Each structure stands twice: as structure tokens, then as C-alpha cells.
Amino acid sequence: MTTHIIGLDQARQQLSGLVNGLDRNQLRYFVSSRGRPKAVLMSISDYLMTILRQKRASVVVELQLESKAKGLDKITSQEISREIRAARRARL
């Protein structure tokens, strides 16, 4: 993924072309105003992958903490297998 810095005026003039090239060219743009970054222009797939990756990581950490608090972090492999079988049977 390549990131470029582009001024707000230039981004405004070229917005359609910039947006159309985001996914195809694997680009991101920092849009700056008066030399300071103000926004990020990125493809929707790039955005979703970035957000989903962060959300998945936070969900995993949350589950780990919850399991530890309940004492489930010490469950054996056999107990895990039993729980999986029981859950599968319950869905049928």
C-alpha cells in the first residue's frame, strides 16, 4: 500500500480520478490543508479490512479477558472438545 500526501485544492480538482485509482493502484492519500494532514482518502475495501482487523483483534482480547475472569482459561483440550460436541448437537 502506497501513501501520498496531496493538498486539499489538488484533491478537490482531481477527486474523481483519485477515487477511481484507489483500489486499482493500492493507494492512500493524506489530504492536507495548509501543510497539515486533515483527512485520509482510501478505498472502501482498504478501510473495511483495516477496521475489521482492529475489531477482530479487540474481540479476541475481550474474549480472552472474559475467559480468564471466569476461570475458563484453564480448560483442557478434552473439555473443549466436549463443549464443541455439545454445542453442535444443540444446533441440530
Side-chain angles (χ1 to χ4, degrees), residues 17-78:
L18 294 173
V19 169
N20 289 333
L22 291 174
D23 223 8
R24 179 180 48 235
N25 299 321
Q26 300 266 315
L27 295 173
R28 288 183 184 168
Y29 292 96
F30 288 152
V31 180
S32 66
S33 177
R34 299 179 187 194
R36 293 186 178 179
K38 296 288 185 175
V40 177
L41 187 60
M42 60 196 308
S43 70
I44 190 69
S45 60
D46 185 13
Y47 173 78
L48 291 173
M49 289 299 290
T50 302
I51 297 302
L52 292 176
R53 189 176 311 124
Q54 290 173 351
K55 285 193 184 269
R56 277 189 299 237
S58 68
V59 167
V60 168
V61 169
E62 191 176 317
L63 287 171
Q64 289 171 334
L65 292 173
E66 185 180 325
S67 293
K68 189 168 186 162
K70 292 179 179 178
L72 299 175
D73 58 328
K74 296 170 181 66
I75 193 167
T76 67
S77 295
Q78 290 174 337

Side-chain angles (χ1 to χ4, degrees), residues 78-89:
Q78 290 174 337
E79 291 171 313
I80 292 171
S81 294
R82 244 182 278 133
E83 289 293 327
I84 291 171
R85 281 193 299 275
R88 287 179 178 161
R89 272 188 248 122

